[in-house]
Amino acid sequence: MKLLINNRAFRFLWLAQIISELGDGITRLVVIFLVAHLSSDPLAISLVVLANVLPSMLLGTFVGPIADRFQRSHIMMAADIYRAIIVVLLIASQHNLYGIYALVLLQNIGTVFFEPARSAIVPSLIGKENIPQAVSFSQATYMAMRLVGPSIAGLLIPLGHFDPAIPF
């Protein structure tokens, strides 16, 4: 693990992964809270969860080869900038249930592009002999952020005002 952290390029990738997945975890819980707040129908929450996974199910197989044809770091940066824009639009659309569904779907299309590029770039950063350690380190980070992100969101939700007139 120390070898991975000492690798500057991998360290930056890992820090980017932490920031990206932390933001995803916070967004995921806040969006579910907003949908539950806007609708008393349990189907509403099911639809937002479906919007989270549908892009991966439909596009995952087709997007992977794109990471092999284009510069992976550019795909990752573009996908994260795209997802950040979608989050800003989510803030502005927080009282529009159908807008939330559409934006969550669009945000996860960005994730479908980001993840294969991130996975594919690792061997070029650390060498083939270190792939197992890098994959396990990345997976541990992913699992930690799945816990930490929603936990932070749970602390932030009571502090939020959720008013589209004042987005921040």
Side-chain angles (χ1 to χ4, degrees), residues 5-145:
I5 297 298
N6 287 338
N7 180 317
R8 184 175 189 263
F10 184 81
R11 187 173 57 244
F12 281 134
L13 177 64
W14 178 63
L15 291 173
Q17 178 187 3
I18 289 172
I19 293 166
S20 178
E21 290 176 0
L22 186 64
D24 289 347
I26 292 169
T27 302
R28 201 173 300 112
L29 185 65
V30 169
V31 166
I32 289 171
F33 171 81
L34 283 173
V35 169
H37 190 68
L38 291 173
S39 175
S40 60
D41 186 0
L43 181 61
I45 294 173
S46 298
L47 290 175
V48 81
V49 171
L50 179 64
N52 269 304
V53 298
L54 196 60
S56 293
M57 291 171 37
L58 296 177
L59 302 174
T61 306
F62 306 107
V63 172
I66 292 173
D68 294 332
R69 291 195 182 110
F70 297 99
Q71 191 165 3
R72 294 167 183 134
S73 60
H74 290 162
I75 293 171
M76 292 167 52
M77 285 187 287
D80 261 357
I81 290 168
Y82 166 83
R83 294 185 313 161
I85 291 168
I86 297 295
V87 168
V88 170
L89 292 173
L90 272 167
I91 293 168
S93 301
Q94 62 185 286
H95 291 301
N96 180 345
L97 190 60
Y98 297 108
I100 291 172
Y101 293 147
L103 290 168
V104 167
L105 190 73
L106 291 172
Q107 181 188 24
N108 284 287
I109 289 172
T111 302
V112 171
F113 282 88
F114 179 86
E115 289 303 326
R118 183 183 60 82
S119 296
I121 203 170
V122 170
S124 65
L125 299 178
I126 54 142
K128 292 186 181 190
E129 65 280 356
N130 295 314
I131 290 174
Q133 295 90 346
V135 169
S136 65
F137 193 61
S138 179
Q139 187 63 22
T141 300
Y142 171 78
M143 296 309 291
M145 292 305 106

Side-chain angles (χ1 to χ4, degrees), residues 146-159:
R146 297 278 296 185
L147 176 67
V148 173
S151 298
I152 292 172
L155 295 172
L156 293 176
I157 285 173
L159 303 174

